[in-house]
Amino acid sequence: MTRRDLIQKIVLGGTTIIILPVIASSCAKDEVDGTNGGGSNSDKFTIDLTTPAYSALNAAGGWMVVAAKNIIVVNTGSNAFVALDSVCTHQGCTVAYNSGTNNFPCPCHGSLYSITGAVINGPATLPLKSYPVSKSGNILTISL
Ligand code: FES
């Protein structure tokens, strides 16, 4: 079959079928640090706390935005972690974490979110989505 034959078969009677390229790797396990946690589920990712890029998460009050996932991760102390969407629900700025007040201010228009992602002050009206975090050894697993 020639390329022309194939295109003619794809476009039939005014109906166009769009063939999208297969991006096999994008359907694979989400990984941030190369650790897959041994699972095959694509709805989670892992962070290896021994990786220098994530060293901020080793101390209570430490936090960082995992830009590849738009998720802010906070070490809340006592071996506990919180993961929330880092994108403000007002107009999409990236929130930060304030360890002194234990909340998430948005630098753009002053919205403020609690440690659970609930809106404390607007203009945002919707909460930040929260993701379960588990820790096993030095590996954090964040379920999306
Ligand atoms: S974008 Fe965050 S308060 Fe407006």
Side-chain angles (χ1 to χ4, degrees):
M1 174 183 297
T2 66
R3 184 177 179 169
R4 176 175 288 196
D5 292 339
L6 176 62
I7 291 171
Q8 287 174 342
K9 287 185 182 262
I10 292 172
V11 182
L12 298 172
T15 303
T16 302
I17 301 170
I18 299 171
I19 300 174
L20 299 175
V22 176
I23 307 172
S25 63
S26 70
C27 296
K29 167 106 185 86
D30 288 324
E31 297 176 13
V32 170
D33 64 355
T35 305
N36 68 13
S40 60
N41 195 344
S42 65
D43 61 355
K44 63 183 178 182
F45 69 97
T46 57
I47 292 174
D48 184 344
L49 295 174
T50 64
T51 303
Y54 302 109
S55 62
L57 295 174
N58 287 311
W63 63 279
M64 65 179 307
V65 173
V66 180
K69 300 291 182 183
N70 286 330
I71 291 178
I72 187 167
V73 182
V74 177
N75 180 337
T76 58
S78 301
N79 230 15
F81 293 82
V82 166
L84 301 171
D85 268 340
S86 62
V87 179
C88 179
T89 61
H90 177 232
Q91 290 182 359
C93 291
T94 300
V95 301
Y97 175 67
N98 183 331
S99 61
T101 54
N102 197 33
N103 54 31
F104 299 89
C106 177
C108 291
H109 311 105
S111 288
L112 187 64
Y113 300 90
S114 75
I115 193 68
T116 64
V119 175
I120 297 171
N121 292 325
T125 58
L126 298 173
L128 298 173
K129 185 174 180 179
S130 177
Y131 302 95
V133 183
S134 61
K135 184 173 185 276
S136 177
N138 288 316
I139 304 297
L140 292 183
T141 299
I142 299 170
S143 300
L144 302 177

